[in-house]
């Protein structure tokens, strides 16, 4: 079951990738995928939580800048510089990062049984840039890629010519400087690490046979960079085979190896790939523009996906404090009304914003004043004489409590609007999710509301609250099965919020 904390925050919701981007002042459009665009800071936070369970970065303590903002900036810049543009290029890159350094946890190879781990040019950066083995085979003491990376930066104007040797003398720059830790991985991925073409004569019948086996087994990957091998993933149904090939090239793929042994940490690489594909909601047809991405809302009202995500990110934060202060302004960008900091009313703007994020229901209150809570009532509702509103044609009344569903709009007699979320275990109470609500903490008060969960008795329907829904939405049977929420009791402040 879902769990609601003492502060009315919804916990243990499955992580969902919300692919949205602002276009213009009053318009939000859903992006189909992550191809050819930057990550937002919020998306990066969601991805970290999905992969690691938290947003903690660089736990080995070598990189001092551990902000998600800086990580997002550097990762986006690196992706653009090295042409890591498509979803599958990003997914496979990040899957390798997950296996090599624990998804932004480490920036340097840890001591282990491998010679590289104690070498001067040990593995550093996101995918462990490593030097070359010396002639004695005792250590990775030849700079090799460290030297080549510096020369590449200097040749392309990213370093002064006299600085191209900085990684030879100070290889720790790649494990301690956030920019180089990330940028070096992009260079290795797209420039330095390439599969052999296996077309030359190796002067040995057996070696030539191994080369032919590789050409025949990986025809779409031979001679290509790790980044280009990722594209072969989209061109074939043999996806795991090319991810395996990519992983072997990254780790080292001797000529005399065929399909054994597996790459180091193969199980972790596959698990990372699976999790990333799920978060990206990866679909080849979507990336190719052949169809639109359909978000799985679990047979529930699609706007609730966005409402619950807002609760997870901003629940408990005061409206007068960053980042909710700035977020409330975003809610108003989809409303006809404007943000009035003195009055502080924003429950209706929150509800309207959630509808605006959807594909099929973004019309709801697009042309109405959505900030006034009573405007969310339908003309069919019979209310007290003191309640005045401009009823919308976008919604229709729910007149029987049996027709309640997750995502129904709930309008209160004290001028507040929110979404139905679930019910109490004894089925007597409705739990609702909304913005501009009180959680009864010490920080709470007028102008200091938050996004949280409240409750009200079902018996008060059509007297102290009313229900409505978008006109074109037909709730499914699953919609109507209100989840029973395990909630710690608290009293909602009924002070008017509009």
């Amino acid at each position: 079951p879902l769990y609601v904390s003492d502060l009315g925050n919804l916990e243990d919701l499955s992580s969902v990738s919300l692919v949205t981007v602002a276009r213009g002042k009053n318009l939000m459009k859903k992006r189909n995928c992550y191809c050819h665009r930057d990550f937002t800071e919020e998306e990066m936070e969601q991805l970290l939580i999905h992969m690691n369970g938290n947003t903690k970065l660089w736990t080995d303590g070598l990189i001092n800048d551990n902000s998600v903002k800086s990580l997002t900036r550097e990762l986006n810049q690196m992706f653009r510089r090295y042409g890591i543009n498509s979803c599958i290029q990003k997914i496979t890159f990040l899957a390798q990062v997950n296996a090599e350094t624990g998804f932004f946890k480490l920036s340097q190879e840890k001591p282990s049984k491998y010679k590289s781990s104690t070498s001067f040019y040990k593995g550093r950066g996101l995918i462990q840039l490593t030097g070359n083995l010396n002639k004695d085979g005792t250590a990775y003491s030849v700079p090799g890629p460290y030297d080549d990376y510096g020369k590449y930066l200097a040749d392309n104007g990213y370093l002064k010519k006299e600085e191209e040797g900085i990684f030879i003398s100070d290889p720790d720059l790649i494990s301690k400087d956030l920019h180089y830790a990330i940028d070096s991985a992009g260079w290795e991925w797209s420039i330095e690490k390439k599969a052999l073409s296996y077309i030359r004569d190796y002067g040995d019948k057996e070696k030539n046979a191994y080369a032919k086996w590789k050409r025949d087994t990986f025809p779409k990957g031979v001679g290509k960079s790790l980044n280009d091998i990722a594209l072969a993933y989209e061109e074939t149904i043999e996806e795991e085979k090319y991810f395996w090939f990519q992983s072997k090239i990254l780790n080292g793929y001797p000529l005399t190896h065929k399909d054994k042994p597996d790459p180091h940490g193969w199980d972790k690489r596959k698990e990372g790939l699976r999790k990333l594909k799920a978060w990206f909601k990866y679909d080849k047809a979507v990336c190719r523009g052949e169809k639109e991405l359909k978000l799985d809302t679990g047979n529930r009202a699609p706007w609730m996906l966005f409402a619950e995500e807002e609760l997870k990110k901003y629940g408990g934060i005061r409206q007068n404090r960053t980042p909710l202060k700035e977020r409330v302004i975003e809610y108003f960008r989809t409303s006809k009304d404007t943000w009035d900091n003195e009055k502080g009313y924003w429950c209706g703007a929150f509800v309207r914003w959630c509808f605006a994020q959807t594909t099929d229901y973004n019309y709801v209150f697009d042309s109405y004043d959505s900030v006034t809570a009573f405007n969310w009532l339908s003309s069919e509702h019979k209310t007290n004489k003191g309640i005045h509103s401009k009823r919308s044609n976008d919604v229709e009344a729910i007149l029987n409590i049996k027709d309640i569903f997750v995502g129904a709009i709930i309008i209160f007699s004290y001028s507040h609007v929110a979404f139905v979320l679930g019910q109490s275990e004894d089925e007597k109470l409705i739990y609702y999710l909304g913005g501009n609500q009180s959680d009864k903490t010490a920080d709470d008060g007028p102008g200091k509301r938050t996004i949280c969960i409240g409750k009200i008795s079902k018996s008060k329907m059509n007297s102290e609250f009313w229900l409505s829904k978008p006109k074109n939405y037909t709730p499914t049977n699953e919609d109507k099965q209100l989840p029973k929420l395990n909630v710690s009791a608290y009293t909602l402040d009924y002070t008017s919020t509009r």
Side-chain angles (χ1 to χ4, degrees), residues 204-250:
D204 179 273
K205 183 178 180 180
E206 186 176 8
K207 288 182 178 179
N208 284 338
Y210 279 115
K212 183 179 185 304
W213 183 89
K214 287 183 169 64
R215 291 197 308 270
D216 294 343
T217 306
F218 306 107
K220 295 182 180 294
V222 293
K224 295 182 177 179
S225 68
L226 297 176
N227 196 40
D228 287 339
I229 293 172
L231 295 178
Y233 193 106
E234 285 194 337
E235 299 170 4
T236 176
I237 61 173
E238 299 175 296
E239 298 174 345
E240 185 171 307
K241 183 178 79 172
Y242 278 95
F243 183 61
W244 185 96
F245 181 61
Q246 184 189 63
S247 302
K248 285 292 286 187
I249 298 300
L250 177 61

Side-chain angles (χ1 to χ4, degrees), residues 167-382:
F167 305 114
I168 298 175
S169 58
D170 188 6
D172 280 339
L173 277 173
I174 292 177
S175 57
K176 293 183 177 180
D177 186 294
L178 176 65
H179 172 73
Y180 292 129
I182 294 175
D183 188 80
S184 64
W187 171 79
E188 187 172 8
W189 185 259
S190 293
I191 306 297
E192 197 268 341
K193 285 276 187 179
K194 291 184 178 180
L196 297 175
S197 60
Y198 301 106
I199 57 176
R200 74 177 180 87
D201 185 350
Y202 288 89
D204 179 273
K205 183 178 180 180
E206 186 176 8
K207 288 182 178 179
N208 284 338
Y210 279 115
K212 183 179 185 304
W213 183 89
K214 287 183 169 64
R215 291 197 308 270
D216 294 343
T217 306
F218 306 107
K220 295 182 180 294
V222 293
K224 295 182 177 179
S225 68
L226 297 176
N227 196 40
D228 287 339
I229 293 172
L231 295 178
Y233 193 106
E234 285 194 337
E235 299 170 4
T236 176
I237 61 173
E238 299 175 296
E239 298 174 345
E240 185 171 307
K241 183 178 79 172
Y242 278 95
F243 183 61
W244 185 96
F245 181 61
Q246 184 189 63
S247 302
K248 285 292 286 187
I249 298 300
L250 177 61
N251 283 169
Y253 194 9
L255 176 63
T256 55
H257 284 189
K258 286 188 176 181
D259 55 354
K260 294 293 180 183
D262 286 331
H264 298 309
W266 178 230
D267 287 342
K268 186 170 184 178
R269 292 177 203 277
K270 289 192 294 182
E271 175 63 12
L273 181 70
R274 183 194 64 77
K275 291 180 69 175
L276 284 158
K277 286 172 67 179
W279 188 85
F280 274 73
K281 298 190 180 296
Y282 175 65
D283 186 323
K284 294 179 184 180
V286 171
C287 291
R288 290 194 292 257
E290 297 171 359
K291 71 176 186 179
E292 292 186 357
L293 178 66
K294 296 297 183 182
L295 294 179
D296 179 10
T297 60
N299 290 318
R300 295 188 313 167
W303 51 90
M304 290 303 290
L305 182 152
F306 299 97
E308 291 172 2
E309 192 69 20
E310 293 301 288
L311 175 64
K312 286 199 296 180
K313 289 187 290 187
Y314 302 105
I317 300 172
R318 303 296 126 192
Q319 70 185 66
N320 62 337
R321 296 178 185 172
T322 298
L324 184 55
K325 179 171 66 174
E326 292 79 11
R327 192 62 167 174
V328 170
I329 295 173
E330 290 299 316
Y331 298 151
F332 276 85
R333 293 191 192 281
T334 63
S335 299
K336 288 295 180 183
D337 207 344
T338 55
W339 171 236
D340 187 333
N341 193 47
E342 294 298 320
K343 295 179 180 178
Y345 308 140
W346 54 280
C347 60
F350 174 82
V351 170
R352 161 61 192 154
W353 182 90
C354 292
F355 280 113
Q357 307 316 299
T358 68
T359 301
D360 297 327
Y361 302 96
N362 55 18
Y363 67 87
V364 177
F365 271 74
D366 183 41
S367 58
Y368 290 86
D369 168 17
S370 59
V371 177
T372 301
F374 291 142
N375 284 358
W376 290 88
L377 290 165
S378 163
S379 58
E380 302 166 276
H381 285 122
K382 296 179 180 180

Side-chain angles (χ1 to χ4, degrees), residues 4-10 311 410 412 414 416-424 429-440 450-457 485 487-494:
V4 184
S5 71
D6 291 344
L7 300 183
N9 299 326
L10 193 62
L311 175 64
I410 182 168
F412 298 87
Y414 54 91
H416 181 63
V417 61
F419 293 117
V420 172
L421 182 66
Q423 63 183 335
S424 59
L429 302 176
I430 293 171
Y431 288 104
Y432 55 89
L433 187 167
N436 198 25
Q437 294 186 175
S438 168
D439 59 6
K440 296 299 289 182
T450 187
I451 300 171
C452 64
I453 294 167
K455 60 185 177 181
I456 192 168
S457 172
L485 305 182
V487 61
S488 300
Y490 68 92
T491 302
L492 184 69
D493 181 0
Y494 282 168

Side-chain angles (χ1 to χ4, degrees), residues 8-20:
N9 299 326
L10 193 62
E11 306 290 350
D12 294 330
L13 286 171
S14 58
S15 182
V16 180
S17 166
L18 303 184
V19 192
T20 59

Side-chain angles (χ1 to χ4, degrees), residues 56 60 79 164 207 271 321 323 339 373 399 441 444 463 483:
K56 294 178 181 179
D60 57 3
F79 281 160
E164 67 177 30
K207 288 182 178 179
E271 175 63 12
R321 296 178 185 172
W339 171 236
L399 301 176
T441 64
D444 186 37
S463 61

